[in-house]
Structure formats: C-alpha cells, structure tokens
Amino acid sequence: MNSFSLEDKEDISIVLCGAAGQGIQTVEQFLTHVLQEDGYNVAATKEYMSRVRGGTNSTEIRISSKRVSAFVDRIDIFIPLNKTAIARQRKRITKDTIIISESELIKDEIDISKYKVIEIPWTELAQEIGSKVYLNTIAAGLIAELFQLDQEIGKKYLRNRFASKGEEIIQKNFEAFNKGCEIADTLISEKGLKIAIKKSSKKDKELLYNGASAVGMGAIAGGCNFICSYPMSPSTGVLVFLAKHAHDFDILVEQAEDEIAAINAGLGAAYAGARAMVTTSGGGFALMGEGLSLSGIIETPIVIHVAQRPGPGTGLPTRTEQGDLELVLYAGHGDFPRIILAPGSLQDAFYITQKAFNLADKFQVPVIILTDQYFMDLYYNIPPPDISKISIEKHITKTEKGYKRYKYTENGISPRGIPGYGEGLVRADSDEHTEDGFITEDLDVTRVKMVEKRLKKFDEVKKNVIPPDLLGTDKYKTLIIGWGSTFTAIKEALDIIADKEISFLHFKQVYPLHQKTKEFLEKAEKVIIIENNVTSQFSKLIKLYTGFEIKNKILKFNGMPFSVEELVEKIKKIEEV
Amino acid sequence: MNSFSLEDKEDISIVLCGAAGQGIQTVEQFLTHVLQEDGYNVAATKEYMSRVRGGTNSTEIRISSKRVSAFVDRIDIFIPLNKTAIARQRKRITKDTIIISESELIKDEIDISKYKVIEIPWTELAQEIGSKVYLNTIAAGLIAELFQLDQEIGKKYLRNRFASKGEEIIQKNFEAFNKGCEIADTLISEKGLKIAIKKSSKKDKELLYNGASAVGMGAIAGGCNFICSYPMSPSTGVLVFLAKHAHDFDILVEQAEDEIAAINAGLGAAYAGARAMVTTSGGGFALMGEGLSLSGIIETPIVIHVAQRPGPGTGLPTRTEQGDLELVLYAGHGDFPRIILAPGSLQDAFYITQKAFNLADKFQVPVIILTDQYFMDLYYNIPPPDISKISIEKHITKTEKGYKRYKYTENGISPRGIPGYGEGLVRADSDEHTEDGFITEDLDVTRVKMVEKRLKKFDEVKKNVIPPDLLGTDKYKTLIIGWGSTFTAIKEALDIIADKEISFLHFKQVYPLHQKTKEFLEKAEKVIIIENNVTSQFSKLIKLYTGFEIKNKILKFNGMPFSVEELVEKIKKIEEV
Amino acid sequence: MSKKNIFDMDDIDIAWCPGCGDFQILTTLKEALVELDIKPNNLVLVSGIGQAAKTPQYLNCNFFNGLHGRSLPVAWAIKATNPELVVIAESGDGCSYGEGGNHFIHTVRRNPNITNFVHNNMIYGLTKGQASPTSRFGMKTGIQVDGVILDPFNPLTIAIGLDASFVARTYAGDQKHMKEMMIKAIKHKGYALLDILQPCVSFNKLNTYQWFKERIYYLENHDPTNRLEALKRAAEVEKFPLGIFYVNEKPTFEENTEVYHTNKKPIYKRERDLKKFSEKFL
Amino acid sequence: MSKKNIFDMDDIDIAWCPGCGDFQILTTLKEALVELDIKPNNLVLVSGIGQAAKTPQYLNCNFFNGLHGRSLPVAWAIKATNPELVVIAESGDGCSYGEGGNHFIHTVRRNPNITNFVHNNMIYGLTKGQASPTSRFGMKTGIQVDGVILDPFNPLTIAIGLDASFVARTYAGDQKHMKEMMIKAIKHKGYALLDILQPCVSFNKLNTYQWFKERIYYLENHDPTNRLEALKRAAEVEKFPLGIFYVNEKPTFEENTEVYHTNKKPIYKRERDLKKFSEKFL
Ligand SMILES: Cc1ncc(C[n+]2csc(CCOP(=O)(O)OP(=O)(O)O)c2C)c(N)n1
Ligand SMILES: Cc1ncc(C[n+]2csc(CCOP(=O)(O)OP(=O)(O)O)c2C)c(N)n1
Ligand code: SF4
Ligand code: SF4
Ligand SMILES: [Mg+2]
Ligand SMILES: [Mg+2]
C-alpha cells in the first residue's frame, strides 16, 4: 500500500469546497445518487453561508461499507474549488488527506510538497471540452471511477439531468465524465489511489433522501392537505417538497404574507377539517406565539415544523443549532397542552411527522416538530418505510343539533365537529367560553372547568408518549442523553468508543417527557448530555420534570453540528475523569 | 350596639356593583379621593367584564384605621345598582352585610326581611333633583357622611369634577351630595349605622394612585422619553398615563399599528439614544418574541411592561392572572440574557420601574416588568417616594473614530455609542456579527466569543439581583413564597393569622433569582407557594434554578385575585396538616 | 326585529351599548342572510377581537372568533378547505386595518370568495377609545392627547389600488342601503369589501350619527368597472359617498388554486391515497 | 467606482451575485450621498433582512440591520428620537411589502421625514427564489409550482392611495435616473418612497434586464401634485413609467409631534427634570 491508497478504509469522506454557485451541489447530487444506485451506503452533509453566490461552502460525502450517516471532521479526499477553500477547512486537512486540485487554488495556502496533493488542471481540461462549466462533471466522473461505478448508471443520470438542455450538452457531459474516469484510472494505476469500500447488500430497496424530504413525506403519509407558510431558511425545504407533490396528493400549498397569517390560516383550515401544517424557523416561530396560544384555547389541531438555526435575532441563518427548545416549550400566553417531537434519524422524521398529524387530531393540541439545518440538509440511504405500520387517524365527528364544541368529557377531549358536516353549529372561540363556544364571564364555574378540561387532555397526552430509544446495554454505567438531530453522530461516536458500559438514550419526543426518564437516569453512575446549544436546554427540561440534574454536558454552539470525532474525544475525556 | 353599627370594625369594606356605564367608577373616584384627603387610609380594587355598557362590574373600597390594601371577600356595606348585582356577589353577602338599595333591585333575589337592608329610593330622589344621573352623587354623599367627611373637601372635589359642565350642574351635584348626607345622618341616628374608623396620622404627605400610575410615574422618574405601544387591556393605563404627562416631561408617545411595530420602534429609539418602553399584555407580548430576541443580539436596552390577564388566546381580557411568567422568561429564539421584575406594592412599582431603565441601560438587555389587571387597577394611599434615593443612570458613550459597538470586554458589556454622538459609526446587527457590527460567518472564533460575551453580561446581571423581601422572623418554620401582585393579600392574610413561625418571602425580581433563594427555602420546615395561575409557574422556575421542589401550592386561576380570607383559610389548612 | 329569523338567538345578553350602530348592522345582516336563503350550518362568521368582532356571538351560525387582527387568514383558509361554505369575515376598523393591515392587503390580492364586513367606527371601541387607523386627523383621545397626527387610512382607495374584486361602502344608519350592499357583497364572487360607517356612541364623540348624516351621499351614475373613476370617488375627503365603488370580476383564489382545477370536492373530504404514496416514493 | 468616495469601505467581500442590480444601487447611493454632502456619522441606514437588506453592510456609515420586515418602525423611531440624523430605510420587496406590509401602510400615514428605498426584484432573493408580493401573475417558482395566483402588489398605487408625501420609481439599470431620484427622495421633507426596479440575475428569470428595458419609460409632462393623475399613471399594467409620481407637501411626523412643537432639541439630549417630577406628583 503506497501513500495514496485508501484500501484500508471502511468509509471514505470526500469534501468538496468552493463558492456558492460553483456547482458543488451538482456534484453532491450526482455522486450520492449514482453511488447509492450502484449499491453503496452514502451519506452527505452540507454547510453554507447565507448568500447566493461567492463565499465558501462545503459538502461532505461519505461512502461506506457499514451504514454511517453523521458528520465527520476527517477528510479523506478534498476537492477545493476556490482559493478560500483550504483556509476555511484548514483544521480538517491532515497529512493523510488527499487533495485533488489545480495548484493555482492551493499553492498560496499550503506547501504542496508536504501534502498528498494530486494536481489536476480542471479548468484547462474543462475548457478543452468546451467551457468551464464541465469542471463539475469531470470531478464527478473522477470520483465515480475511483469507486468503480457502473458507467451506465452515471450516464443515465447525466442524460436525465441534462435532458432539457439538448443532446449536444448531454454529449459534452459524457465527454467530461469520461475524462474524469480516465484521470481516475491513471490515479489508480500510477498513484495507487485505491478504494475498497464494500457495497451494501440490500441496495435495491433503499431510498435516498434528506431531512426536509423525510419530514415532507411523513406529512403526506400523515394526511396533510393544507400547508401555509412563509419562506425561512432552513425550513423552506419542507414547503418546497409539499409544493412539488401537491398535484399528486391534493395538497393546498399557499405562501403567506407573514408567519402570523400562516399559523392563523393553518388554524382556520384545521377548523374547517383540513390536516394543516406550517413550517418555519425560530424567528418565524417567535411570531407565532399568539397563534399557538389560540390553538390551545380553541382546541384546534395544528402541526408546526420548526427547523432550528442559531439565534438570537437573525443570527446565523444557514447554520445549525438546537437552541429553540425552550422557545417552543413555553411560547404562547397562558397554560395549555402541547406536544414536542424531535426526530433523530431520517426514518424517525418520516414516522414522527406522520404520527404528529394523528396526535394533533386526537388531542386537539398543537404538535411541534423540531429539526434543524443540519438535519434538513442531511442525506443518506435508508430502507423504505413500512406503510402497513401507519394509518391516518381522523377524529372528526358528524355533528347533531345542539352540538357543543367544548363539551365536558371525562378525559377533556370533546368530539370535534367541523362546519357544514352535520346538523350542529361549530363555534370556536378565543375568549374563555362555555361548552357551546360562547364568550363567558362565569369565573367560578365555567372558567375553572375549562382550564381543567384543557389540562386533563394533557394527562391523556402523557399516557401516549413515544418512549426514548436505548442504544446499548440496559446495564450501563454511563448514560449518554441526546435528542433530535444529534442522534447519528452520537451513535457513531459510541460505536467507535465501543465501550460496553456506555449506553445512549435518545429522545424523539422531548415534551412531555416519558415517565420512565427518571428511572433511566438514576440507574446510571454517570450521565452525559449532548446538545447543540449553549445553555443545555434539554437538561433544564429534564431537571424540571424529573428533578435529576445532569452535570456532564457536551455543548456546541458555533453553528456547526457535532462531528463524530469531537464527540469521541469529549466523551472519552469525561469518561476518564 | 345595635345590628347596624359598624363601630367595632377597624376597617370597612364597601362594594358598589352594577352595570358598566352606571357610574360606579365615579363614586369610587370620589370616595377614595375625598376620604384619603380627609385623612383615612383607603384602598380600592375593581373587577369588570369585557364590555363598555351593561354586564355587572364591581368596585370594592376599603377604609381602614391600619393601612390595608388587598382584596377581601367580606362586604360590610353593599350598594347594588342593577338587578344582577346581588346574584353576581351572592357568595360574599352575609347576614352582616348592610345592603343599601332600592328594593326594586333586590327583592327578587333575596328575602329582604332576612338581611340588613336599608331601602333608599335612589332613583326617585335623584329625579327630584333633576335626573337619574344624580344617583351617584347621592350615594357618594351618603357614604362620605357615614365617615363624617369634612364637607368642604367633598364640595371642592365636586366643583373640580364638574367644572367644565357649568355652575348649574355643580349646584345640582351639591344638592345631591347634601341629600346623601341627610340620609346618612338619619341612618346614623335612627339605625345606629355608626362607623369609628380612625384617621391616619401622616395623612398630609400621602399619595393616592393605582398600579398603572405607579408604573407610569416610575417610568417618568426612570427617564423614559419614548413609548410606543398598541392598546391592550389591562396594560393601556400606563400608555394613557404617560400620554397625559407627555407635555410636562418631553415624552414621545406613539400608538403603533401593532405590537411588532411597537417593540421594533422601541428598539430603534433606544439605538438612537432614547430611554424606550413598551406596554402590552400577554397576547401582545406573544407577538414581540422576535423583537425581544433582536434586543438580545443587538444588545439594545428596552423596558417592556406586561400586564397579565388570563389566557390562552383572548381568554378573559379584563381579568387577572399571573400566567405569563414562563412566556416572558423564554420568549424569543436563541439564548440571551434578560431581567424580569414583578412589583408587589405600589411603592415597588414606582421604584422598580424607575430602576428597570437603569438596568436595561447598564446591561444592554431587555427588562420585563410583570404586573396584572388586579395590580393595574389597585389603588391605595402610600407615602410619597423618596426622590433623593433615585437617579437616572445613563450609560451612553461619546464615540471615537474606529468605535466598535460590540467590543469584547471583561464583563461582556461594550461601551454603547449612539449615532451622531461622536466620531464613530454605530452598527447594530441582528445577524451574528463582529465587534464592529458586521455580519460574520466566522464560526469558530467570532460566533463563539459573541455568544459567550452575551452570556457574560448575564453573570454581571446576577450580581445585581434585587433580594427578595422577608416579612416576619428569620427563624420561621413555615415559609410562604409569593411574587408580584399577590404581595398585599398575602401580607394581610399573615397579619391575620399572626403566627410568629410563619414568614413571607416576596420576590420582586423573579429572574434571575437571587442567589440566597435556596438558603431561604432550605431553612424552612414547610414551604408554601401562592400563585395566581394554574401550573405554578414560579415554583417551576425555583425548582429549575435551586433544585428545590415546593410541594404546597395555593393556586387560583378563575380570573380573580386572591382574597385575604381565602388565603387565611388555605394557609391555615396547610398548616394544620 | 319583528318576526323570528332563523339566525336569531334566544336569551342573549348583547354586550354593546344602547344606541350603538352595531345593533343595526346585526339586524340587517340577519335579514340579508335570510333573504339570501343561507342556511345557518352552511355559514361561518369569522371575526377578530373588538366590539364589532362580537357580532358572530349573536347569530345562530358557525363561527370562528379568533385573535385581534387575524380574521382574514382564518377566513380564506376556511373557504379554501371547504368552498361549499359561505364565509364572512366581520370585524372592526382597528382589527381589520390596524393590527390586521397586512392580511387586509394580501387577502385582497389573494381574492378568495369571501365577504369582509368592516364596522368602521373610526375608534377602538372595546379598549375604550383610542384612535383607530380611520380616525380623523386631529381627534383627541386619552392617548392622542394632542389629537391624531396620522392621516386617516382610506380602505377604499387601498382596496381599489390593489385591484380588489368588489369594493363598497355603506352606513349603519341606513339599513335599507346596508342590506342591499350586504346582499350584493355576499353574492359577489371573489373577495368583497364592505366598509360600514358605524357610529360609536360611547367613545367617538366626533363621528356621530349627525356627523355622518351630514357627510354621506349616494353614488349615482357611477360605473363600478371604471377603476380610475372608482379611485377618484373613493379619494373624496369631505364627503363619504355610499354604494359600490368598484367591481372587478376575476377568478377567485379557489378557482386559481390547482387543487380545485378539475376536482371540486372540498379537500377535507378527500382521502389520502397511501397506495399512490407507495408508488411514488417507495 | 472611480475615485474614492467617503462611503466606500475597504476590503469587503460583497455577498451579491455578479450582475445583480444591487451593485448599481449601491454605487449610485454612495454617489448620491456624496452629492448631498451627507456625513457618514450623521447618516443611519436601516434595513431588514434579505439581499437588498445587506446594503448597509457595504457603506461606511451608521446602520441598524434589524429583522426581516421591520425596517420602517425602527427607522421612524430613530428619526423621532434624533431628527438631526438622516435616516434611510432600505430593503427588498419581500421585506418591505410582504412581511413588513403593515408597517409600510402605517408609516406612510405617519409621514416621518425618512427615505425608503425598496429594491424591487419581484422575488425573494436570499431565500432562493420564492414569489414576492410584486411577482407577476403566473411566474413559476419552487413553491408557486403552478405559477403565482395572486395579483401583484402595486406599491405606488397603495402609497398614493394613502396620500403619501413622495412617491417615485426608478430602475437600477439607469444609474443617472436613479441618482436623480435618490437625491430628490432624500431631499424631500417627509416620507419618501422610491421603488427601484432591480433585476435578480440568479432567481428571477422572468423580470430580466431585457424585460425591464422593454417596459420602462419616463414620466413626462406629469404633474406630481395631481393625485388622480398620479394614481392613473401608477396603475398602468403593461409598462412601468419611471419618475416622480406624486408629491404631497405636508407636515412631517416630527413636526406634528408635540414634543418638537417648540423645542427642537432631540429628545435623547434632554434631561429629565426630577424637580419637576416632585412638584407634579409629590
Ligand atoms: C394582539 C392584541 N392586541 C391588542 C388587543 C386589544 N384589543 C382588543 S379590541 C381592540 C381594538 C378594537 O377596535 P376595533 O377593531 O376598531 O373594534 P371596535 O371595538 O371599535 O368595534 C384592541 C386594541 C388584543 N386583543 N390583541
Ligand atoms: C421573520 C422572518 N421570516 C422569514 C425570514 C427569511 N427571509 C429572509 S430574507 C427573505 C426574503 C427576502 O426577499 P426580499 O425582501 O425581496 O429581499 P431580496 O433578497 O430579494 O433582496 C426571507 C423570507 C426571516 N429572516 N425572518
Ligand atoms: S363602545 Fe362604541 S362601538 Fe362599542 S358597543 Fe359601545 S357604542 Fe358600540
Ligand atoms: S440572488 Fe438575486 S437579488 Fe440576490 S444578489 Fe443574487 S442576483 Fe441579486
Ligand atoms: Mg372600531
Ligand atoms: Mg426581493
């Protein structure tokens, strides 16, 4: 094995880095799709600046023998596409990193002789084919060939991708692709740049999608037929996904004038019988508090997807954080029940979003799904969801004369009618109201009973909490706590640490907490919480509802997700104490 | 002493009850002002429906030998002004209550012979004078005379009150007033309706105002020169108060188009150097979350007064509750410091609001003042504030060339410049920014340092927390915890219980908590928390920051404040266990 | 109210002040609804918060009494979810043009087939008398102690400027005209704004019945399809012409929305096809 | 940029796409400011969030880069606190007319002496190409997959309908006209709206330089004091006339505000008189 060989790797991390607009995403799309189709496990994560052109963005693609799906610091193959790429990724580039680049882009930044650099005159080669734009396809071809991609798959993809541009462009891309393959062949034979990743066995049935699509598919499978939202990174992907599939699934998609309109429209639609959703980020959600409270008092279901990004204020619009847990937990004036879910894997995102609609409908409460930028943009191949396991549970009643919208019942849940379906009249009232839905000033009886009715529903909600997942032995000494999108990174870090006494408890429902939470915590000798925010919001929630104080915290708040390596290091450090 | 005598009472509670628009407030205003001027301790509380005319509202006026200022259930003298008055107040009317009324209004509701009823043909008497409108003045005269009011004070008040209506109206009111006095004289001599409340000795120097005015005066004394708000009960009184005194104190008062405009305008004004304030209620505040977060990241001071009312949604717009503590504690996306104050007495309201402006300016954070409807409308006489104790502390720097708005400093507080004052440029940025205030995507250094800078300020804030007031011995066995407006009722209840082993710890700063809080709690054998909300929000805050779980809770959430009697009863019940 | 109307409610305590224009609006609305033969359970009244916004409480029908300022997003969403319903959004001037101003302008653009009645009393009634967006320049209140210093908001010029589908004004003091306008507005296909001049006897001592009476007159020989002419009449400052200013027949939001292009069934009645889901994604 | 302008910044990395109309606006703005002899430390640029809203980052002056949609309340409040400052609110069409629509209409009514530049690219740029309120009917995007179905918002008819103080339109492709309009707008006493047609080369493939070029023309023989005429010109649909549509000289918010009636000193410079406080209340 010479120094360029990657044969000993079970997983390869390729990072492309360059300016917005340089086509990094095109390469990412190409490679993930064709390699997955060819049977590899693939995963990709992105980080980018809040701008449309320029700056320095990057994509990390992992191709692996085992299924892995988190962000790693390690870069096996680095492809810089502009002059700032090296500087931006410097701390991740080591002597082991293979840098494939024009020397022009890197020579001022590193001593080329000291790194594993492969110089490729991309621009020149692309221009030979006809234009700089073919650079991407050459790079894509090069990487593909390193993995011995079935060339037909690559060409089929290119043909589809450029179909609208005409045959000439397609042929040029083929040419570029072949060029890339040729270079790769030379690298393999001359430099020994060999890769030996094994393909996955279950390739046929696997799907490749990202967090935004997973949430969107969950919504479709949950019966969502109305979405009204205002664009806001990183939540817009869900809106776009539903818009794209609106025709096939009869979904009314409307862009609101602002977030306040969005949530009020969502509640209007739900009142009339729709399965309604809104998608936003923290700043947009901060404008929806009054609407959330309205959902609470009128007892009208709504599913709210909040893709977190770092605040306060505009903060870092295209970055990631788990800093809005407390916001969604306490938003809205007055006391009323709510449910907060936070998927960890793409599978979770599908099932949980699907379920969110059923929960909202059943308990007539707002259900919030918390994701984040990292999760929205995270891609990997997963087995297809099992549709037989899900169902769309509707809880709408045909009304009769004398129908009372807020009828007192034992568990606080009143049969929900909708206008025009049945003989009854449906009165939704944001004022404190009687069972019929009329304004009341009867304080001693009606007000008290209505407050209690709403809280009783919460008792029902508590009986239906999704339990946290325990990964590892239940005889753990150390228990790692995580929630939401940190799932894959923590899981992989623990696989690496491979300590049988450490287990991982992951929460995909963060509120209300599952009743067993305390038990799990108290069994451990040491508990470590891992959160992508600065004040450890989830540990506060845990303390409040279990009394258990978690002392060991691994927190990150620079706008980036945790990498597997830093988790390994930080967990080990705490373990050593 | 015959059955109508009230001579044994140290304090008399008079309740007027009738429809909105019947002039209850006129009588309340008259009685509180003239009796206070004549040297009595007076206090008044109101409760009213969300409507302009009709319905059934009431005012309770207490005249007492000792200073008392809370709401009591007991009614010594009841004056119903419409037919629903008795029904609405039924549980408070006992065989000891003297009911002064036309029989028309009460005969269908109670057996007149079984109660201490004094029948006065108000309407007829008023019409004799010229119109039904004089009824109020007759009633006012009657009560005044029972207290042997110096008639000149009464007439002076009436003259002022009706000055704009002309001499004829003034004379008619005098006539009505005299009529009331005459009736009172007969009642005193014939029914023995005697009252022996002692006047206070320090009468001259005392002031009479309500919660809204106390907050408003504090704002003026705090240097507030800009208020922009949207009307919302019960917070509007503060806006009206500042508008009324705008000329005298150079205050710019502007009604915004909505709450979002209000808070953003407040921040714009503060950026330019104003001492800015907004006033709102929970639902309005729920719309300001994004603006609050903006204040957090641009580090621009703002004082936000939130007068709570029961939610969720529109809830009970004219009622009282302490249900928005968690809302103001967690509103806004992302993590940033804030200060939350909650006055208990009218004196507190003055001093605390005054101080709020200094705190906001010093730490460059949002400061929230939490009151509620009960507190806004609560009136009593208090000694004038000591102006020598306060000062307006401004923390604005004249800038120099190269000024950096967000300069890193040891305690996180950067000298605050304003545009046009000095040579520097002042850049406020809602994106994560450099020290100069420019957008940054430097995650590893700048982002992290800026997050830490903002949190460091919070460490400074924590060194400056207003300590909770301990009433009673510091060798208590039982400790009662209260915050905000429940102060006067709890204090009076404990005076009645008169148990030397029970003390009362009242918080006027609820966040951050004073560091001694835990010590106070752990010293007690029993801790009882009293809150005007359903989920005991303050005890959750205490648990989170001290780990101390308060098990005994006295909660109320029907929209009414605690009465002294119910507190006495509930505290005793817990004490007995 | 003489004979019993199906929208009448028994036994209710109306929270308005005696003499308030809101009563006339309520009575007339019930008459208009009967004349239009609308069924109570097929009607949804949507309101925000304010005195005007209490109207739905006093009619026998479905209602959504939402948040201050937010009636319009609720109303169009209800209509879009179930176009078979008759949807009327009804609120005060503060609610509709102040807090709800952004929804007003964008709902006009959206053009859902709903009706919007605005009780324009030029004041905030429920909160006891602050200036509303339509308050006249110079009017004094407890907050506007030196008088209003903003130019009044003219809902008609704005709606016509936005090329609204139907724009009309009436006056609560003329029930005959009001009923005619209500009926036309409800019948109109598309977003229909009816601004109703409404005296508030408790707080608005400036814009009284008398004041309005002296200033209203009826549009005559006016061609409501002429946008510029409509703007001109709407922009009049001294007087308040009443009638239909502007009619612009155009497709509604529901018609424009793809989900109803071929299939007219309300979306809430359609079942999600999970088999199709599998075919599409799995 | 040829010679060094005092508003130039050294060493900055501008986040816009090559070819974007925003560059022309930035250059022209700096020139206009120099011509007006405005001092950097006496100028405050206020913006919201979006591509246009990044403009203040690229000028050497004070700025308040606030929240999406909220530039106007911030801007008038700054001006009211310190009328000695020159205050310009600058943002995109989405920010100004979408999220910020309510502030737009009410700030026009308030008439503070500020200038409002709206980069109208008929698209949401920063969020990568969704319809904005000014997007043309039928334009397709990732969300408006069947094309925009709302009528475009016409900022000019709305502003004139609100009797705004100054209403003009220019085009980023004509820097000479743009500079003239900017100078007049800044000089104007009162709220001045300048809507700037701005091509977005990355996302708006419909409203390109070419498209605008074919549709713009210059107002001539137009009397900007004639409101109806202004409305008529502003309402044109096929073409985009450029120039000053409407000028309505009237007192500004600061002039109308009692706090500046006699005393012109900015409020932030005045000291609170605690002695007066004692006299008044104690
Ligand atoms: C978010 C919010 N802000 C403020 C209020 C308080 N509020 C209730 S009604 C109202 C104004 C009512 O005026 P208008 O809409 O003109 O109705 P009117 O009472 O005059 O009929 C206000 C400001 C509220 N309920 N919610
Ligand atoms: C409350 C809130 N909602 C949404 C966003 C997301 N957002 C940022 S910029 C933008 C639109 C920008 O469009 P425009 O104002 O036209 O400016 P352009 O980028 O086109 O110049 C949106 C929706 C946000 N930052 N805040
Ligand atoms: S306050 Fe005015 S608008 Fe409200 S009910 Fe009374 S008169 Fe009517
Ligand atoms: S996205 Fe459009 S508006 Fe934004 S910088 Fe690029 S071209 Fe300009
Ligand atoms: Mg009104
Ligand atoms: Mg734009």
Side-chain angles (χ1 to χ4, degrees), chain C residues 270-281:
Chain C
R270 306 186 199 174
E271 293 296 330
R272 176 59 32 89
D273 185 350
L274 285 180
K275 233 182 84 203
K276 190 164 181 185
F277 179 91
S278 299
E279 282 159 21
K280 195 85 201 166
F281 296 113

Side-chain angles (χ1 to χ4, degrees), chain C residues 97-98 101-102 106 109 151 250, chain D residues 97-98 102 106 109 151 250:
Chain C
Y97 307 138
N102 208 29
H106 294 287
R109 297 179 50 227
D151 276 338
K250 55 180 176 177
Chain D
Y97 308 137
N102 207 29
H106 293 287
R109 296 179 49 227
D151 275 338
K250 55 180 175 177

Side-chain angles (χ1 to χ4, degrees), chain A residues 52, chain D residues 15-17 20-22 51 121 125-126 198-203:
Chain A
V52 172
Chain D
W16 292 324
C17 314
C20 176
D22 284 338
Q51 297 285 48
N121 57 7
L126 187 60
Q198 173 235 324
C200 163
V201 297
S202 287
F203 294 113

Side-chain angles (χ1 to χ4, degrees), chain A residues 50 293 313-314 430 441 543-544, chain B residues 50 293 313-314 430 441 543-544:
Chain A
S50 178
S293 178
T314 308
S430 78
E441 293 263 9
K543 181 170 173 192
L544 188 54
Chain B
S50 178
S293 178
T314 308
S430 77
E441 294 264 8
K543 182 170 173 194
L544 189 54

Side-chain angles (χ1 to χ4, degrees), chain B residues 45-108:
Chain B
T45 52
K46 270 202 257 304
E47 60 83 26
Y48 44 98
M49 293 181 170
S50 178
R51 54 194 292 168
V52 171
R53 291 281 177 277
T56 317
N57 301 343
S58 71
T59 279
E60 172 177 294
I61 304 170
R62 296 179 68 189
I63 299 111
S64 55
S65 301
K66 280 194 311 178
R67 209 186 280 281
V68 291
S69 45
F71 172 70
V72 290
D73 280 331
R74 192 191 78 242
I75 303 179
D76 298 315
I77 299 177
F78 185 60
I79 304 183
L81 292 171
N82 68 4
K83 288 194 177 180
T84 52
I86 292 273
R88 188 85 188 165
Q89 301 294 343
R90 189 177 316 268
K91 54 171 197 179
R92 300 173 63 192
I93 296 167
T94 67
K95 304 270 150 144
D96 290 327
T97 307
I98 297 170
I99 301 169
I100 307 181
S101 174
E102 298 190 76
S103 63
E104 198 46 43
L105 300 178
I106 56 176
K107 68 174 197 293
D108 297 341

Side-chain angles (χ1 to χ4, degrees), chain C residues 97-102 104-106 108-111 132-135 137 146 148-154 157-163 227-228 231-233 235 237 248 250 253 256-258 261, chain D residues 97-102 104-106 108-111 132-135 137 146 148-154 157-163 227-228 231-233 235 237 248 250 253 256-258 261:
Chain C
Y97 307 138
E99 185 86 44
N102 208 29
F104 173 59
I105 57 184
H106 294 287
V108 172
R109 297 179 50 227
R110 199 167 270 124
N111 197 33
S132 89
T134 55
S135 291
F137 197 94
D146 305 300
V148 171
I149 60 169
L150 275 64
D151 276 338
F153 179 80
N154 184 332
T157 55
I158 302 312
I160 303 166
L162 288 160
D163 220 8
R227 186 169 173 208
L228 284 170
L231 276 170
K232 186 168 157 190
R233 305 305 295 268
V237 177
N248 171 19
K250 55 180 176 177
F253 177 70
N256 277 326
T257 303
E258 200 277 341
H261 276 179
Chain D
Y97 308 137
E99 185 86 45
N102 207 29
F104 172 61
I105 56 185
H106 293 287
V108 172
R109 296 179 49 227
R110 200 168 268 124
N111 198 33
S132 90
T134 55
S135 292
F137 196 95
D146 304 301
V148 172
I149 60 170
L150 275 64
D151 275 338
F153 179 79
N154 184 332
T157 55
I158 302 312
I160 303 165
L162 289 160
D163 220 8
R227 185 170 176 208
L228 284 171
L231 276 169
K232 186 169 156 190
R233 305 305 294 269
V237 176
N248 172 19
K250 55 180 175 177
F253 177 70
N256 277 327
T257 303
E258 201 276 341
H261 276 180

Side-chain angles (χ1 to χ4, degrees), chain A residues 50 88 91 293 297 311-315 319 321 330 333 335 430 432 441 444 447 535 543-544 557-558, chain B residues 49-50 88 91 293 297 311-315 319 321 330 333 335 430 432 441 444 447 535 543-544 557-558:
Chain A
S50 178
R88 188 88 190 164
K91 53 169 202 184
S293 178
I297 196 161
T314 308
R319 304 291 170 180
E321 191 163 284
Y330 298 106
H333 50 298
D335 285 297
S430 78
E432 192 55 277
E441 293 263 9
D444 290 337
R447 163 68 180 176
T535 58
K543 181 170 173 192
L544 188 54
F557 48 91
N558 70 344
Chain B
M49 293 181 170
S50 178
R88 188 85 188 165
K91 54 171 197 179
S293 178
I297 195 160
T314 308
R319 304 291 170 179
E321 191 162 283
Y330 299 103
H333 50 298
D335 284 298
S430 77
E432 192 56 277
E441 294 264 8
D444 289 339
R447 163 67 181 177
T535 57
K543 182 170 173 194
L544 189 54
F557 48 90
N558 70 344

Side-chain angles (χ1 to χ4, degrees), chain A residues 23 59 74 81 144 149 247 381-382 391 424 458 465 551 554 561:
Chain A
T59 279
R74 192 192 77 242
L81 292 172
L149 174 81
H247 291 200
N381 55 302
I382 59 163
S391 66
F458 198 47
V465 175
K551 300 228 170 56
I554 298 176

